[in-house]
Amino acid sequence: GLLAHELFGEKLILKDDIEWQKVYEECKKQAVIIPAFLSHQQLPLDEEMRQCIQNAVNNCVYQCIQNETWHGYLDCLMKENNIPYVVLKGAASAYYYPKPELRQSGDVDFLIHKEDIDRASAVLEKEGFQPWEEDHICHIVFRKGQIHYEMHFEPAGVPNGKAGEVIRKYLQDIQITAEEIQNETFSCQIPDLFHHGLILLLHMQHHLLSEGIGLRHLCDWAVFFASCSETEFKNIFQERLERGGLWQFAKIISLTAHMAVGAPYRSWMGEDYALAAGLLMDILSGGNFGSKDHQRMYEGIFISNRGKAGGRHTRIGQFIRTLNQVVYTHWPVSRRIRLLLPPGWLFFGIRQIIRMATGKRRKVDFLKSYRKSMGRNELYRQLKLFEMR
């Protein structure tokens, strides 16, 4: 109700027995402190709770202001060195909110061409940024003090196979069609309407099938699709998303946003409220990037390889594919020499066990994760991710 009121102007109806401490804790885990409580002065809170929420809102707003300066800094660096780029989520998502400050910020993610990786890396390192030692299939992390940049050479969630080929073609001109946004404090390049919607869908399914997404992701999608008329959204997205296997997901996540946070209903969503309700409960139970249940990411290894193939495989089959992907990422030569896969399973499996034993990674209950993955797997299969028309 708080989110629907702030984002879409719905009338706020409050019961007398609300446990505000629990609401506040939930909002923290869903990363929606700002949109839920920006107007907290209007709420019937006791003084202690009001001060607690005021402090939390102030902290989040300060982080957003910092994040804006980091966007502006990045924009200057890329433009000065003639490196085409586009921001992923972040300021791009905030652009669609009724007030940009309602969008709670995180890191700064941006996308460049693969051929610009070395040049962009050199620019950042010259500025004092240090690459973070991490092997990742689609980005490189750079840090300087509190600044955290994720330099993507491919958006998260692009699938394998034919659907991936279709989606990569859609993304070929994302920097060319980018739009510049500017306010009093910063400017940056954001994707055009179609590309931003595609990025959001890819990112949501990527994390949904692993550790989980929270209400912040749902709000990002809700304000985005609501910025389009019914006809405009359908004309821009339906045919292309059907070809890429994301139209069913777009419909259900939109219906979920209508049910949960007051986004307007569109006829193209359909009426599968049961599936939308199941997806909403999954979002609520996970929280922002699995903040409510840190074991969820381990359930994901039985569901999908970080969204690279939807959720169409059996859980045991998917577990093997997940192990394979770990080896491929760290030992690229194993894609050609498949005999390296079993030694890779053993090596990286033992390394993970050692890291858990030394406290560098959270301990995992694999049997529990396997059991809990069943219900999630059945839910996600109904989303028909990357099942092409």
Side-chain angles (χ1 to χ4, degrees):
L2 293 170
L3 296 171
H5 174 69
E6 197 68 61
L7 298 179
F8 297 104
E10 286 202 359
K11 185 177 179 180
L12 184 60
I13 300 173
L14 300 174
K15 297 181 179 180
D16 296 329
D17 59 348
I18 295 173
E19 296 181 60
W20 287 106
Q21 180 65 38
K22 290 185 177 180
V23 176
Y24 165 65
E25 292 294 335
E26 185 69 23
C27 289
K28 280 204 301 185
K29 291 173 181 175
Q30 301 290 345
V32 290
I33 287 287
I34 297 180
F37 289 117
L38 191 63
S39 303
H40 66 89
Q41 297 295 346
Q42 303 169 16
L43 302 176
L45 307 170
D46 63 49
E47 196 53 39
E48 183 180 359
M49 192 73 249
R50 189 179 304 282
Q51 190 59 53
C52 175
I53 288 173
Q54 177 68 64
N55 291 339
V57 170
N58 288 345
N59 287 337
C60 290
V61 169
Y62 175 70
Q63 290 170 11
C64 289
I65 294 170
Q66 273 192 318
N67 192 270
E68 285 188 358
T69 66
W70 299 342
H71 276 82
Y73 184 19
L74 174 70
D75 186 66
C76 291
L77 290 175
M78 295 298 107
K79 285 179 178 174
E80 286 172 2
N81 292 277
N82 297 312
I83 300 174
Y85 86 99
V86 64
V87 166
L88 303 176
K89 307 176 305 296
S93 291
Y95 176 75
Y96 291 94
Y97 278 70
K99 292 181 264 186
E101 61 269 25
L102 286 171
R103 207 271 178 175
Q104 205 159 308
S105 300
D107 302 327
V108 179
D109 296 48
F110 66 102
L111 178 70
I112 61 169
H113 296 295
K114 281 188 177 181
E115 55 266 31
D116 288 329
I117 291 174
D118 291 341
R119 198 155 59 97
S121 297
V123 168
L124 291 171
E125 289 180 30
K126 186 178 178 181
E127 282 289 309
F129 285 87
Q130 297 293 323
W132 187 28
E133 295 298 327
E134 178 195 35
D135 293 309
H136 200 278
I137 59 173
C138 66
H139 72 239
I140 303 170
V141 172
F142 286 89
R143 289 176 170 174
K144 177 184 176 181
Q146 291 183 305
I147 306 176
H148 184 111
Y149 286 154
E150 283 191 6
M151 185 177 76
H152 284 253
F153 41 89
E154 181 166 87
V158 176
N160 299 321
K162 292 184 178 179
E165 293 173 12
V166 170
I167 288 168
R168 285 187 179 94
K169 286 182 181 178
Y170 290 159
L171 292 167
Q172 284 178 346
D173 62 345
I174 186 171
Q175 284 94 354
I176 297 171
T177 62
E179 303 168 358
E180 182 170 87
I181 59 170
Q182 187 166 5
N183 64 19
E184 297 82 5
T185 58
F186 80 106
S187 63
C188 69
Q189 301 290 119
I190 68 170
D192 65 11
L193 193 73
F194 170 70
H195 285 115
H196 182 65
L198 179 60
I199 293 295
L200 287 182
L201 291 170
L202 288 171
H203 186 255
M204 285 191 293
Q205 71 83 28
H206 168 72
H207 288 288
L208 179 71
L209 273 60
S210 180
E211 67 270 34
I213 60 174
L215 287 176
R216 180 178 68 163
H217 297 85
L218 192 64
C219 290
D220 282 356
W221 179 254
V223 295
F224 168 71
F225 85 75
S227 71
C228 306
S229 70
E230 181 158 351
T231 302
E232 180 185 22
F233 187 91
K234 189 172 181 180
N235 289 344
I236 292 173
F237 285 96
Q238 181 172 359
E239 184 177 351
R240 283 187 275 190
L241 292 184
E242 284 178 343
R243 280 198 231 123
L246 283 169
W247 182 239
Q248 167 76 348
F249 182 44
K251 291 195 301 180
I252 298 302
I253 196 74
S254 301
L255 188 59
T256 303
H258 166 67
M259 293 171 59
V261 297
Y265 179 78
R266 309 292 199 215
S267 61
W268 49 259
M269 296 177 187
E271 297 184 357
D272 196 343
Y273 287 99
L275 180 54
L279 183 56
L280 176 58
M281 293 308 298
D282 185 73
I283 291 170
L284 290 171
S285 65
N288 190 54
F289 297 136
S291 62
K292 293 179 70 175
D293 182 358
H294 295 296
Q295 291 293 310
R296 277 177 66 96
M297 66 178 294
Y298 298 107
E299 296 168 24
I301 66 177
F302 300 105
I303 297 171
S304 180
N305 181 19
R306 302 290 292 178
K308 301 293 281 184
R312 64 176 70 104
H313 301 299
T314 65
R315 286 179 294 155
I316 296 299
Q318 183 53 55
F319 178 68
I320 294 171
R321 286 175 170 82
T322 300
L323 292 177
N324 287 348
Q325 187 61 51
V326 171
V327 182
Y328 293 152
T329 300
H330 293 85
W331 297 349
V333 70
S334 63
R335 290 187 180 275
R336 290 184 291 106
I337 308 174
R338 297 297 180 88
L339 289 174
L340 291 173
L341 288 174
W345 301 344
L346 186 62
F347 175 80
F348 292 108
I350 292 173
R351 189 176 75 167
Q352 181 73 5
I353 291 170
I354 292 172
R355 287 178 172 179
M356 287 190 291
T358 57
K360 292 182 179 180
R361 294 287 188 274
R362 287 188 175 91
K363 293 186 177 179
V364 186
D365 185 337
F366 279 103
L367 185 58
K368 182 179 178 181
S369 296
Y370 177 74
R371 289 181 186 137
K372 289 187 69 176
S373 67
M374 179 182 291
R376 289 179 64 194
N377 202 29
E378 291 173 354
L379 172 70
Y380 302 152
R381 284 190 178 189
Q382 296 177 70
L383 300 175
K384 300 179 180 179
L385 291 162
F386 306 122
E387 293 183 19
M388 301 168 66
R389 186 180 64 179

